[in-house]
Structures are given as structure tokens and as C-alpha cells.
Amino acid sequence: MARMAISGAAGTTVRIGGREVVSFGGCNYLGLSYHPEVLAALQRGLSHYGISTSASRETTGNTVAHDALESAVRDFLGVESAVVVPDGYTANLAAAQALAGTHRYAVIDARCHRSIRESLACAGMTVAEYAHLDAEQAAERVREFAALGLVSVWTDGVFAADGSVAPVADLAAACDEHGAALIVDDCHGLFTMGPGGRGTAAQAGLRDHPSITITSTLAKGVGCHGGFVAGSNMIADMVRDRSTAYICTTPVSPAIACAAVEAFGVVQREPELVDRLRRNADELSRGLIRAGLRIENHGTPVFAFTTEGDMRALHESLLEHGFLAPLIEYPDGPAPRYFRLSVSTLHTRDQIAGLCAALGRSLRAVGPKGALAGQ
Ligand SMILES: Cc1ncc(COP(=O)(O)O)c(C=O)c1O
């Protein structure tokens, strides 16, 4: 599919091909990349540090801003320690490299993010899959591997493609039974799920569970850039000691680290941002169903669907109505090609209602109604 180029973005609108449309794409769930206090912190960081540390954190590239960001992540998630890395992909690679010395076996959700799958391959682990969200099958795989050696289980917290949510409590129980480590990639759960946006593990009541490690990006809910591995002191030390993805890379810009620290402050000072996101997600879910689509509401801001009619024509028709509803081809989604809608805190009720009305009209004009993606 042709890649589109966005020539400007502000809040909920983007410019594409010279026209401004309301976007229901991307993952800037709380709109924090536009938040005035986050932007001000970025400017301060830029004047203070410049753009880049131009060196690894383990040589001359560590700053007070990076240390402050690690403290902010640690305190927010209620874990012992956090290590900031260049991005979310690297976070999974760093965690895999850290564990590979001891944990030879890995069990993964069949639809986990590609960065998990590739990282485990890169770290040389023996990998087995379980069916998407099937904690019972995951437990079987863990039991089989546990007879051979140490095991780690990997899942997305919230799955990027369709917003489905991992059964973290059941996976943690299976891991605890067999002394396995559980790694939750919470790129889409951080700042969207759990009390105050503390993530999918917190939502499952496992905020400071000792055998859970959280990996995440800082580019989605946090609205900045970068990533981290967070959990026990032991896993953090292992990342610092063993993970070349951390040791041999230039960290996220210190200015962005300043912005991200501020974002963690904002989400705690303004918890209503997370509440409003949830209200908007419910509103969009109801509107999509009223428009005739069969979608599932997972309690997340992400919705996926396919239609039996011409999906490209539907996409174009929505653009003509002034709405970007991304039609994407992305690995490990529920279908080879599907609509992936996301809503943010910043969307107004009018924008949500406008999209749903346009969808209803476009579906009538273009063809048959939507099906749940993947069914
Ligand atoms: C579940 C998941 N993990 C990891 C990543 C990678 O994060 P980043 O874009 O910060 O490298 C993404 C982002 O696309 C993601 O959705």
C-alpha cells in the first residue's frame, strides 16, 4: 500500500495532500506530545543539553535527565528499577539479551509484536508460541520448557493492532508456578490502562509483582520518544551489564528525556486525561457499532475491523469526508489488511460523532458492513 506523508499535525488533525483531516490514527493516546508543559520541558532540555549526547550512556553519554527519567518510570510503575534505552524495539532486545544468559526458553503470544519475536531470535533463545491470549496453552508450554531449563514468557500488554488485552494475571500465575519470568511489552498499555494509566499489569492487580518485567516505548502514551526496561533490581543490573542494545547505543536525546520526565508529571497531576481517554474510547466504540460495524471493545483506545466491500474505497471516502481512518498492513495484526482506529484524549465528542456518521454514510455508499477483523 502507498505510504502517506503527513505534512503537519496539531492535536487531532493532520495535513495530508494539502488538506487537513481529523485523524483517528497513531498512538499519541493522551495527546502529550502537544501538551504545553511537555513542550516547554523539551525546549528547556534543548537549550541545556543540545540535541544529542553523541555517546553511549556507559561511556560519556549519560545525563542527569536520563537518570531523572529512570526515577520517574520507576516511581510511576512502582518497580525497583528502570533502564532507559533508545526506543521500544530496543527495550525488547535489551530485555532479551539480559535474560538470554540464564533463560534459554521463551514462550510468546502468537500475535506478539515483531520486536519481541525478532529480539528473542537475535538473543538465540528457543521459542514456542501459544494461541493469541490463550493463557492455558501458555501454561502448558511453560510446563514443557520448565523441565529443560529456565523459561520466560513474553506478551504485549495491549496488542497494538486491535487493542486486545493480555491475560496478565493468568500468565503471571503460570509463571509463578514454574519459576518463569513474565515480560509484558506495555507500549500501548502505559498511560492508557490501570489506575492512573499505570499499565496492564497494574490493571491486573500486579503493579509491583517481583517476576514481571515491563518493556515499553516512550513514544505512544507518553508522547515523546525512547524506551525502557523496568522491573527488579536484578533485571535492571542484567540489562546494564549484558545488553549491547543498551551498552552500545546512543540514548534518547536528553531534551526528549526532559520532556518525558514532564509527561510522567503531567499524567499524575492531571489524571482526568486518562479518564477522558476512556470516555472517548467508549464513545467511539458505541458510535462504530451504531454505524453498523462489528467491533470489539476491549476497554482500550484501539479498534480494528475489516469490511467485505472495497476497503480502499471506504478509506478514500472517509478522507473525502475529512477523516483519516488508517487502513494498514502491519505484521501480526488480526488480518493481512485492516482498519486500525485509535482515539485520543484530545478528540472532541463532535469529532467522534462526525467520524461515525461519515462511516455510516460511506459504508452505505461503498459496500457491505464491517466484520470483526480476523473473523
Ligand atoms: C507493542 C510494541 N512494541 C514495541 C514497539 C516499538 O516501539 P518503538 O517504536 O519505540 O521502537 C511498538 C511500536 O511500534 C509496539 O507497538
Side-chain angles (χ1 to χ4, degrees), residues 270-289:
E270 301 178 35
E272 62 276 11
L273 293 176
V274 181
D275 299 339
R276 210 180 313 143
L277 176 67
R278 292 187 182 141
R279 280 202 300 278
N280 279 353
D282 280 343
E283 187 103 10
L284 180 58
S285 157
R286 282 193 298 271
L288 293 174
I289 290 165

Side-chain angles (χ1 to χ4, degrees), residues 208-265:
D208 50 6
H209 193 279
S211 58
I212 296 184
T213 297
I214 312 280
T215 58
S216 182
T217 184
L218 294 162
K220 300 186 189 301
V222 184
C224 296
H225 188 74
F228 64 80
V229 180
S232 64
N233 284 328
M234 192 167 76
I235 186 85
D237 287 345
M238 282 157 69
V239 169
R240 292 191 194 99
D241 291 346
R242 300 180 186 172
S243 302
T244 52
Y246 160 76
I247 297 166
C248 303
T249 52
T250 305
V252 59
S253 161
I256 303 240
C258 292
V261 170
E262 191 64 31
F264 277 91

Side-chain angles (χ1 to χ4, degrees), residues 43-241:
Q43 301 285 0
R44 283 197 301 277
L46 263 182
S47 349
H48 198 74
Y49 291 106
I51 297 172
S52 174
T53 66
S54 306
S56 157
R57 293 185 65 202
E58 291 298 313
T59 58
T60 54
N62 190 42
T63 69
V64 171
H66 292 97
D67 288 346
L69 179 53
E70 289 181 344
S71 301
V73 171
R74 184 196 62 206
D75 294 348
F76 184 73
L77 293 179
V79 294
E80 285 178 352
S81 198
V83 185
V84 167
V85 296
D87 56 36
Y89 198 112
T90 315
N92 284 325
L93 184 55
Q97 290 176 332
L99 284 167
T102 48
H103 293 63
R104 298 246 346 258
Y105 302 95
V107 174
I108 60 172
D109 186 291
R111 281 201 20 227
C112 71
H113 192 263
R114 201 46 73 97
S115 59
I116 294 178
R117 196 180 283 277
E118 304 289 345
S119 294
L120 298 176
C122 185
M125 291 193 195
T126 302
V127 177
E129 287 181 4
Y130 58 91
H132 184 47
L133 306 181
D134 188 338
E136 256 178 56
Q137 212 179 79
E140 268 169 48
R141 303 273 177 276
V142 173
R143 198 172 316 119
E144 286 157 13
F145 272 159
L148 306 174
L150 284 177
V151 188
S152 56
V153 176
W154 300 68
T155 181
D156 302 27
V158 172
F159 287 79
D162 63 359
S164 51
V165 180
V168 174
D170 293 341
L171 292 174
C175 287
D176 286 348
E177 200 183 327
H178 297 283
L182 175 59
I183 295 84
V184 179
D185 171 338
D186 219 14
C187 284
H188 299 268
L190 182 68
F191 283 23
T192 71
M193 302 289 283
R198 282 176 175 75
T200 313
Q203 173 135 324
L206 302 172
R207 182 166 179 240
D208 50 6
H209 193 279
S211 58
I212 296 184
T213 297
I214 312 280
T215 58
S216 182
T217 184
L218 294 162
K220 300 186 189 301
V222 184
C224 296
H225 188 74
F228 64 80
V229 180
S232 64
N233 284 328
M234 192 167 76
I235 186 85
D237 287 345
M238 282 157 69
V239 169
R240 292 191 194 99
D241 291 346

